[in-house]
Amino acid sequence: MTYPWEDGLYGVEYSANGVTIIDGKPTEAGSADCSAMAGSNNTDRTAPQVARNATLAYRILSAHAKIPPAQKLPKEPLRLRFDALISHDITYVGIIQSARAAGLERFILPYALTNCHNSLCAVGGTINEDDHAFGLSAAHRYGGIYVPANQAVIHQFAREKLVGAGQMILGSDSHTRYGSFGCMGIGEGGGELVKQLLNNSYDLACPEVVLVWLEGDVSHGIGPHDVALALIRETFKDGRVKNKILEFAGPGVRNLSADFRCGIDVMTTETGCLSSIWSTDEVIAEYYETIGRPEAFSQLELTEGSYYDSIARVDLGRIPAMIALPFHPSKAYSIHELAAHSADILNELTQAANQELGGVAQLDLLKHLGTDGHIHCEQGVIVGCAGGLYDNIVAAAQILGEKSIGNGYFNLSIYPASEPINLALMQDGTAASLIKVGAVIKPAFCGPCFGAGDTPANNGLSVRHATRNFASREGSKPAEGQVAAVALMDARSIAATALNQGRLTAATDVDYPAEARPYHYDGQMYDKRCYFGFGRPDPNYELRYGPNIADWPPLPALGTHLLLELAAVIHDPVTTTDELIPSGETSSYRSNPLALAEFTLSRREPAYVARAKAIAQREKQRQQGKMPEALALLLRRQGIADEDITIASAIFATKPGDGSAREQAASSQKVLGGAANIAYEYATKRYRSNCVNWGILPFTITPTTSFDYAPGDLLLLKDVRVRLLEGAEEFTARLISGPDVVDIALYLHNLDKQERRILAAGCLINYYAEQNGLSS
């Protein structure tokens, strides 16, 4: 179905044409113009790359690269070192355990361990607090920063205590975005943080830079999530900005508060980009002054002649109140257009959602379309690194005034992103005002963003100022017949909806006093409760373990030849990391690799774990000289001796890895005996990096290759280890499907020498153990 607004750009217009800054404005210009503007006569490099080096993004990358981009060889990656690291309690135990196995002695750069994910998970016993105790003991032993549960969500702590203009931070969370403060944040899997802790580099092919040019001023009732969703809608499709850096500038920037900029910036993860950076001005200088770190500010301005590979022009005045419907932030519409065509849109998205759910449960979005012609929601949540900002919560309170959210099915939960924000809301009366209207104020916690808090009723619809609305990410369990849905909206429209007791309402339709209120920051609770131990490691401090914290099991190296058996074949357009390893209550098991692996693909392909274990058992039998006769006969026909082969499982997915940075999406495959993924492409760099760091060969096939195969089919790769280490990019796999045998081409593109050695070693832990002469 075609809607009349499908060509409408909601105030955002993307162009793939390169632009150059001329007289302070973006102007389409050829490469020759770029070279002239950059004042370069270097003929060894393309002119756009020379002028790209003048962007804010490349100036920061250059300052953090072992060899600046302007001096390195064309195909050599950027080898980056970061100013700080940050993790939360889903990831830091595994990272520290991996680094310990590889020879960690101390944290060589500031590393903050926050506790905002496993503080309210639905798993009983001591599991969560055992992880927290381990984190505090590790901060003492290795010289780290420890942030107790509910003091702050991971990214708000970074904004208040770690960011600095011109700096770079690496976090083990995909929403590591601090560009609006002049600090480039990159979210990656834990393996990349392990590399930094062991004084290695983050290796990156030179990324393209996209200029996001802001003009105009936002309308009454429009908030940062509205701008972000409009931007995501326009740039996510076709991978327009995938693995690129978004650079925000333009006259519209100065009209936005620090919180507003931050609220847009944190959602850039959902565009598929690698990172983001903004020009800075007196607004950001005032922010650094407010949080007591004025020395961290520096002014970042566009350079005349800098070149951008493409541009997204944003007219802030044309941004409408937005809503992103299940199951992706890019499925964004204006609230008014959804209201005008509710039945058609909800029907179409219901069909798409149920196709994605695979028939295990049935979502009915149309049930929320009332007889009055309006869409009715049962829950509102303002939460986390995107929603729980001071300005958002104040605006929600201004809209609600002294009214009531009612005593019906609709409820409203608000999670300030940090205790300093919470304190400010208490002291200026905002929190009291919200409580009086029926909202519930909860502590700093990321749970609703990943399915560990405020799970809606079955087939419920929740509107949330949160980061994602993927399937099951709200906490439902489709395999058990449960299903619910999240629609993303700005806090202002959530408050407007609450004002009408759940009837979907755009904040632009509400007359309220939108008065800016200064944020009075008081961070003394950090000084009293957080442990700041960087530079003061105590190697004699004993680590505290709980029964759920386990070391990594032995992980095998890549053998001479490889026999892969397909354990899952997924033809969905995209497979998210939440499908590869579910979020929610499973998060509590992430300090126990074997226990966590039991959940792998459980909500998408429940038979996967049993299949993978059966394949691993066949490899164990081979090692014991008891290989099943049918397999032994097959290999003898191929001229391969039993002792020269490794049997392992593999997954095919069309485009895996959208979403979270959680490395467990790959490590759980490895723990279950996996050795490869096969895909047409990988949704994100971070997931592909996770595969490499856990010894999962990230094969691709060409778009024209049909992969009409099923679990149980085999792929035989001869001499895979030697060819991998020699730098081969194309591998011939003999695919055996019943009586049929065909050869297909698998590819390993864009792997550097170190990545190939990691894959050959079987994982990053093994690689470092070999480098340091340690047993793996």
Side-chain angles (χ1 to χ4, degrees), residues 235-252:
T235 57
F236 178 79
K237 56 189 174 186
D238 305 321
R240 287 176 168 178
V241 300
K242 178 181 173 181
N243 295 332
K244 301 176 184 179
I245 297 176
L246 302 188
E247 187 163 311
F248 289 77

Side-chain angles (χ1 to χ4, degrees), residues 1 31 130 138 156 196 221 234 238 251 278 289 296 320 333 364 423 432 441 443 449 546 564 571 613 632-633 719:
M1 179 175 292
S31 59
D130 288 342
Q156 188 61 25
Q196 294 289 305
E234 181 63 17
D238 305 321
W278 292 55
E289 188 78 36
Y333 301 83
D364 182 8
L423 179 60
I441 309 293
C449 292
L564 296 172
H571 288 288
K613 285 183 174 180
L633 178 61
D719 301 314

